[in-house]
Amino acid sequence: MAAQVDGRDDDDRLKSRFGAGLPENMTFCLGRLATAALLWAALTAATNAEALSATVIKWGLLGSWAIDCSLRPDHDKGALLTYEIKPDGRVMYRRNFGDARDENEVVAASTDADGMLNIMVFFPSLHQTREFGLKLLKDGTLRAIYNRNQRGDYSIKDGKFVRTGQPTPAQSRCGNST
């Protein structure tokens, strides 16, 4: 039962203070707020996709890369790694190991003062996002400088494989990729 003060219950006092259509006004306002939030999210996503695309294009990442472009993709001899922009604007990272392939979305990219490209890639098959840094060398090849998971566990650190201590190999651009 609604509390009564001055002979009026809570509903009557709200109606006199905020108007008779309070529930309708709230629904209308919440609907407009939800629409504005969705529009903002869509515009922000489009802007982020454009910035991401611009970063990888400017840095020169697009195309296919391999340790030796003359060899067929192979787990032991080297994968063919391809970066491309889909028609919907997403930047994708495709890996071809010969006997296995996958396609993963690049979710962030930035460059630092030293010219290293730092990218984050979501790997659905691994259920994780990995971050890696790539350095474009003067001869046009690139090298992985670091690769780590979200917990900060490195597979490559300071340009060397953590397990072996061996330097990461340079990768060349394959074909007529841009």
Side-chain angles (χ1 to χ4, degrees), residues 111-173:
T111 55
D112 64 20
D114 295 331
M116 184 164 21
L117 179 66
N118 303 290
I119 63 176
M120 291 181 72
V121 178
F122 175 65
F123 292 88
S125 63
L126 303 175
H127 305 290
Q128 67 175 271
T129 300
R130 296 194 67 84
E131 181 181 355
F132 43 99
L134 303 172
K135 190 76 171 174
L136 198 56
L137 305 178
K138 290 180 182 173
D139 65 358
T141 61
L142 68 80
R143 280 193 55 221
I145 303 303
Y146 72 89
N147 185 322
R148 64 180 173 226
N149 64 20
Q150 290 175 297
R151 293 185 313 265
D153 300 324
Y154 286 84
S155 57
I156 297 170
K157 190 171 185 177
D158 299 325
K160 297 179 183 177
F161 291 103
V162 172
R163 282 193 178 150
T164 65
Q166 294 295 311
T168 58
Q171 299 173 35
S172 299
R173 188 183 304 273

Side-chain angles (χ1 to χ4, degrees), residues 42 48 53 55 60-61 65 68 102-103 127 130 151 156-157:
N48 288 342
S53 297
T55 300
L61 183 64
W65 300 83
D68 185 343
D102 64 9
E103 183 175 80
H127 305 290
R130 296 194 67 84
R151 293 185 313 265
I156 297 170
K157 190 171 185 177

Side-chain angles (χ1 to χ4, degrees), residues 66-80 96-97 169:
I67 296 168
D68 185 343
C69 296
S70 68
L71 298 177
R72 295 180 70 121
D74 184 87
H75 264 102
D76 297 325
K77 296 179 182 137
L80 180 66
N96 180 349
F97 296 102

